[in-house]
Amino acid sequence: MTHSMRTDTHSPYYPGDGGWRAGAARYALLPLRIFLGVTFIYAGLDKLTDSAFMKDAGAGSIGDMMRAVRDSSAIPALVDLSLKNPVGFGYAIALGELAVGIGTLLGLLARLAALGGALISLSLWLTVSWASDPYYYGNDLAYLMAWIPLVLAGAPVLSLDAALRSRRRQRAGY
């Protein structure tokens, strides 16, 4: 009578799904999604609830901040555009951050939300944090890079996009 020796060292995390590594890979972007979603929701709410921020002038105002970075930004014309209506620009950024954060956290239109987050981060890097020296002291570039994987991959698990995709497949009979 012969006995065989089991040679696998782990059991699959998801049966038929390629093991624990495949399971971990499926969830790899989830911490990034949670971090960026919560951070952008917080940033939007912080701006909307800060009475000093949503003003044309004064300590801590969007207007004074934009005037302060105008000459050191990579695209001064972008800053000039925001200075035509600083309060409107402040609301646009705050509401954009809220929409991006909610979309990212819920995984609803996740690629579009991530693209919005990348564009907000890009605009802030080219204006507000462009003069950071050395460049890695400015966090907007790091946020821009963090959005790119979510633009490419979306929210494949634990998201409304995934639930809607699954529902469409069920209706189509797949």
Side-chain angles (χ1 to χ4, degrees), residues 5-27:
M5 180 183 270
R6 191 170 177 172
T7 58
D8 61 332
T9 58
H10 65 278
S11 60
Y13 188 74
Y14 292 104
D17 247 0
W20 68 272
R21 288 182 187 180
R26 288 177 42 172
Y27 292 92

Side-chain angles (χ1 to χ4, degrees), residues 38-55:
V38 168
T39 300
F40 268 56
I41 289 170
Y42 179 81
L45 289 174
D46 188 45
K47 287 173 181 67
L48 290 172
T49 58
D50 183 354
S51 60
F53 182 79
M54 291 297 181
K55 292 189 177 173

Side-chain angles (χ1 to χ4, degrees), residues 97-144:
E97 287 172 336
L98 262 178
V100 162
I102 291 168
T104 301
L105 198 57
L106 296 177
L108 180 62
L109 301 173
R111 283 190 171 117
L112 182 61
L115 180 61
L119 291 174
I120 289 171
S121 297
L122 176 64
S123 68
L124 292 174
W125 175 55
L126 292 174
T127 55
V128 177
S129 61
W130 181 257
S132 296
D133 187 33
Y135 76 92
Y136 50 83
Y137 280 176
N139 62 359
D140 295 311
L141 179 59
Y143 279 105
L144 172 60

Side-chain angles (χ1 to χ4, degrees), residues 137-160:
Y137 280 176
N139 62 359
D140 295 311
L141 179 59
Y143 279 105
L144 172 60
M145 294 299 118
W147 283 113
I148 292 172
L150 295 178
V151 169
L152 296 172
V157 295
L158 298 179
S159 67
L160 290 175

